[in-house]
Amino acid sequence: MAARNADTWRRKASELGKLLKDGGEEEKRMSEALGYLSSLMYPLEGLTTEVIEVLLRQFAEGRCAELSSECTVMLGRLVSNLITYQKASLSSSTQEGLLSVFLSRLTSVRPPTELLYACAALAQAGTTHCQSQDVKTLLESSGTVVNMATTGSVDVQRAALNYISTLCQDKDFKGVSTPQLLELLLSAFLSPTKETDTLLQIKLVFSQLKCLQALLSRSPVLQSSPHLTNLLAVLRAAMTLGLPGQPHTLQAALPLALPVVQSPKIVTPPPPSPKQRPQIIAGPQPRRRQKRAKDQKHTNKIGRSHESSDGEASLGDHVKLRPSVSFGGRGCSWSSSESDVSDSEPAPSQIKVVHGKIRHLAFSCLTAVFKSLDTHTKFSFGLTFLPDGPRPPNSPPSLMTCVLKDPLPKCRGGALSVLFTLLEGSKVYLAPADDRPRPSQAFTPYSVTLGNIVQELHRSLLLAMATESQHNTLTQVVRTLAQLVANCPYHQLSDGYVRRVTVAIERYSTHRDTNVQVACLTCAGAVVSISPLLPEVINWITNEGGSPWILEFCLILLQTQSIRTTSTIEMSIYRRSRLRP
């Protein structure tokens, strides 16, 4: 069947060549031939690059100047399929000719979607775009491709964004202006869309994030960018898109994220004015008391419903009070939920898949952004992504919301990667953290805020360890916990943190996955390296006056690994001996 399709392809290609030599007068036959070739399922066995080159060279030499819009669209689809799926390698002259044809017809062909995808395929196939002045002109602030990326239908915008992202991946191409494209993407994110279809909305957001990821990989330095605040706000809104209890569109999620990121400086909050103090201290309390006095039973029902629905808060208290027992399991409502999308929305399964891709791209972009910043700016902005206590149901989400509630392992791993990046080099900035009890004050000191963040990070990471079933993600959780332990000032914090960490890593130090064991030993090394040395650490190392169990455990691991290696070698020798005649 494949050989028959290849023979038919050659016959149709020969027919197209004859029609082009005749001047393309028989438009109907040419349209039928191009339509047939562009509709085949590629790749085709037996179809060589030489045959493809012969056909496309005729179009590249200017013989298709009089082609109709329909034939031009089919030619663009054919070129895209041949380069993307057939993996055809075209000469530079053929690429330049086809690129010139497609760029000259962008404004006359409607819709130009297939032409944009063909240009993207040509950009991915070779380096022709590096010397093309036409492409640089189209990417200017008022260029055709830039206008198509912000206006028109969703399909055209996605095709234009795909073309721009492909160009950004070429390090040698100098026609891309990073500040200009960043401003373009942010304006597209923040401007309201006229599209009412949820699936099309999130597909457009996915294309925009993909373009942003390519732009950040090309030039990730955003230290002095005036758009850094808005960029982080957009990514914060995208990282929770589609999670249970979170909005399903970016426009609905942005109002929650935009007001959060405000200043790149770490500043201790000033004391509130006398007019504000009654609102902060005494305002909410009388309302709660009045509500309890009116209907105590109703309040108890609400409290029980919040307890059962907010698994993150209820299980967190369990971790804090009873670290030596199991912290719950995968039966929590937020971890096993498969109904992220309501039945009333169109194509719920497709929406769910695209939501997962958007969240994963958002975490990749966040990691790239934070790695490009200096430590001070990174930690200043990163504080807004960290929780300072169990979140109420309607509060803005944090990174730990994604770690605990995201149903996709790759998204949980992406959130942990962002958290790991934020914690790198944060020892100086976490040094003021203090969560020890103190008398009530008119405002919350900065050191107490840091102490609450450290407390919540310990609670959430230990909870994530207890509920994680994927080995790779569990390894990331333990490594992130080790990074947190290495940067926390435990001598200024309440007792019990180190004990809960050591109980958790002891439980997983005998895990069947070797990477998890190595991560646990890395975390144990971070605990031992705490300076000044804490009594909790000394008791843990010596097993409360006994022998240093951690050394004995390492020796057992080495012996077990040696036995496994010996068994593998013996099994290999046995199999080879069985194969000999």
Side-chain angles (χ1 to χ4, degrees), residues 73-129:
V73 169
M74 292 180 182
L75 176 62
R77 187 184 299 123
L78 175 62
V79 171
S80 179
N81 290 338
L82 290 174
I83 294 178
T84 306
Y85 302 109
Q86 191 66 30
K87 306 300 180 182
S89 179
L90 305 180
S91 62
S92 299
S93 59
T94 303
Q95 291 184 37
E96 292 176 2
L98 291 173
L99 178 64
S100 178
V101 170
F102 295 145
L103 293 180
S104 63
R105 303 293 296 273
L106 274 180
T107 54
S108 59
V109 174
R110 288 291 179 269
T113 308
E114 297 294 343
L115 301 188
L116 289 169
Y117 281 121
C119 291
L122 289 170
Q124 196 170 7
T127 59
T128 307
H129 286 69

Side-chain angles (χ1 to χ4, degrees), residues 103-393:
L103 293 180
S104 63
R105 303 293 296 273
L106 274 180
T107 54
S108 59
V109 174
R110 288 291 179 269
T113 308
E114 297 294 343
L115 301 188
L116 289 169
Y117 281 121
C119 291
L122 289 170
Q124 196 170 7
T127 59
T128 307
H129 286 69
C130 299
Q131 293 80 26
S132 177
Q133 186 62 35
D134 295 336
V135 177
K136 298 178 182 180
T137 304
L138 293 174
L139 288 177
E140 292 178 353
S141 57
S142 59
T144 304
V145 177
V146 172
N147 290 334
M148 289 180 178
T150 54
T151 59
S153 64
V154 173
D155 292 335
V156 174
Q157 291 185 54
R158 293 184 63 203
L161 290 168
N162 178 68
Y163 184 30
I164 295 175
S165 64
T166 306
L167 291 174
C168 291
Q169 294 173 5
D170 190 351
K171 301 294 184 181
D172 298 326
F173 182 65
K174 305 301 181 183
V176 177
S177 175
T178 302
Q180 170 199 330
L181 287 181
L182 182 59
E183 184 177 0
L184 166 72
L185 290 173
L186 288 178
S187 63
F189 279 124
L190 300 176
S191 60
T193 178
K194 298 180 181 179
E195 183 60 52
T196 58
D197 189 353
T198 303
L199 181 59
L200 292 179
Q201 284 186 34
I202 61 176
K203 281 186 176 181
L204 179 58
V205 172
F206 171 72
S207 299
Q208 292 168 346
L209 281 175
K210 193 174 181 182
C211 185
L212 178 62
Q213 183 188 34
L215 185 63
L216 292 175
S217 65
R218 177 184 179 88
S219 179
V221 180
L222 299 169
Q223 188 67 39
S224 58
S225 174
H227 308 295
L228 181 58
T229 301
N230 287 338
L231 174 61
L232 290 176
V234 168
L235 294 177
R236 177 170 183 173
M239 74 181 188
T240 58
L241 208 62
L243 288 182
Q246 300 299 327
H248 294 284
T249 60
L250 189 66
Q251 298 301 324
L254 275 174
L256 296 175
L258 277 173
V260 177
V261 183
Q262 295 177 355
S263 173
K265 299 282 186 178
I266 298 180
V267 182
T268 302
S273 61
K275 295 182 180 179
Q276 296 175 343
R277 289 181 183 176
Q279 299 177 359
I280 297 176
I281 302 174
Q285 295 178 1
R287 286 197 294 269
R288 287 199 299 267
R289 291 171 183 170
Q290 291 173 7
K291 186 176 181 180
R292 290 173 185 170
K294 287 181 180 179
D295 194 352
Q296 182 68 29
K297 296 182 179 179
H298 181 64
T299 308
N300 291 337
K301 291 180 180 178
I302 294 176
R304 285 195 296 270
S305 64
H306 280 304
E307 255 183 72
S308 60
S309 61
D310 192 5
E312 184 177 345
S314 60
L315 286 176
D317 297 335
H318 189 56
V319 173
K320 183 175 180 181
L321 296 176
R322 301 182 62 184
S324 61
V325 297
S326 177
F327 307 144
R330 279 286 172 186
C332 303
S333 60
W334 50 262
S335 62
S336 60
S337 173
E338 296 295 336
S339 57
D340 295 5
V341 184
S342 64
D343 297 333
S344 60
E345 294 181 351
S349 59
Q350 297 182 34
I351 292 177
K352 199 172 182 179
V353 171
V354 179
H355 275 156
K357 293 181 179 180
I358 287 175
R359 296 196 300 270
H360 188 252
L361 277 176
F363 290 128
S364 300
C365 293
L366 278 173
T367 303
V369 169
F370 284 131
K371 284 185 176 180
S372 68
L373 302 176
D374 63 71
T375 309
H376 175 74
T377 309
K378 176 185 71 173
F379 194 75
S380 302
F381 280 106
L383 279 180
T384 62
F385 288 80
L386 303 178
D388 55 358
R391 295 297 181 101

